[in-house]
Amino acid sequence: MAGADEAVFRPVRAGNPFEETVERLLQAIKLGVVGPGERLPAERDLAARLNVSRETLREAIKALTDSGYVESRRGRYGGTFVNERLPKARRVSAKPFTREQGADVDDALVLRYALETGAAEAAASRDLTEAEIDHLRSCLAETSAAKLADYRRMDSRLHLAIAEVSGSPSLTSATADVRMRLNELLDAIPLLAVNLEHSNHQHEAIVAAILAGEPAAARQAMQEHLSGTAALLRAFLT
């Protein structure tokens, strides 16, 4: 299985190593790849995976420490840990934010549709291992049980898990990237309890189709789910 940690902790591009290292680390935290209270990979390993110097990595970790996302602990069981309580997402006024983003809103929604319907179909077409099945079920259960404050992160983690079990590392990386773009849009609209309940039912249908090995049904279930989210976004943002 192409792990989500491999998708987010991939080599940064040349040119802006500090900025992209911060982006990768935030991606891992905001998408639930490394959850509250969990430890980031060891510094030497993480620097190698991101293909940056340890100095650059330390500067990025300091920036996240100052922002309240992580803390460093010393001692035998030390390291860099994600804080139990994460900073609240920046709330922006929906319509001005949409005008600022321009065509990027539709671009992100179309890209998400193409990637995630394909991921669901691909996942349902594979013979999943027991580990992959357990991972998918675990992410589904955590999303269904998530409190309102944690829902966005757990929802992101479930969608990323579906991409993971598609078996394509490239698809997993692309899904992680577009989800980060979408979360900024989603943070501009309210979390509605009735909508989350509906989303959870749709998540169950998607995962059920994947586990049943029904590609067309998995694609259709994901399509319905994404269409609902897109409609809600457009309603609030336009």
Side-chain angles (χ1 to χ4, degrees), residues 7-183:
V8 297
F9 296 137
R10 64 189 189 275
V12 305
R13 291 164 294 185
N16 300 295
F18 168 74
E19 291 83 354
E20 289 210 21
T21 299
V22 171
E23 180 184 16
R24 292 279 193 274
L25 297 179
L26 275 177
Q27 193 176 57
I29 295 168
K30 291 185 175 183
L31 297 183
V33 176
V34 185
E38 295 180 350
R39 178 181 171 177
L40 292 175
E43 182 181 287
R44 183 189 300 274
D45 176 49
L46 190 52
R49 292 168 70 177
L50 294 172
N51 195 32
V52 296
S53 69
R54 295 177 74 173
E55 180 180 357
T56 295
L57 177 60
R58 287 170 186 155
E59 290 173 349
I61 289 174
K62 183 180 185 304
L64 295 191
T65 301
D66 293 343
S67 300
Y69 284 97
V70 301
E71 64 174 358
S72 295
R73 302 176 190 170
R74 297 185 179 279
R76 183 178 180 183
Y77 300 105
T80 301
F81 292 79
V82 177
N83 286 333
E84 292 286 353
R85 298 187 65 179
L86 298 174
K88 291 184 178 180
R90 178 178 64 94
R91 294 303 299 270
V92 295
S93 181
K95 291 185 179 180
F97 180 71
T98 306
R99 288 195 295 270
E100 177 186 319
Q101 295 296 307
D104 190 59
V105 175
D106 284 331
D107 178 70
L109 290 172
V110 170
L111 180 57
R112 183 196 190 193
Y113 181 90
L115 291 172
E116 295 207 38
T117 55
E121 182 177 18
S125 300
R126 296 182 62 236
D127 290 326
L128 302 184
T129 66
E130 285 299 320
E132 289 173 327
I133 292 171
D134 289 345
H135 179 50
L136 204 52
R137 285 176 171 162
S138 175
C139 288
L140 176 63
E142 289 173 351
T143 303
S144 298
K147 297 178 180 179
L148 209 60
D150 299 324
Y151 191 84
R152 192 81 74 212
R153 178 170 49 83
M154 301 316 302
D155 177 54
S156 299
R157 189 68 190 90
L158 173 60
H159 281 264
L160 195 55
I162 292 170
E164 287 176 74
V165 300
S166 74
S168 169
S170 297
L171 181 53
T172 306
S173 295
T175 299
D177 288 342
V178 77
R179 184 68 199 215
M180 286 294 288
R181 290 172 61 187
L182 275 167
N183 279 357

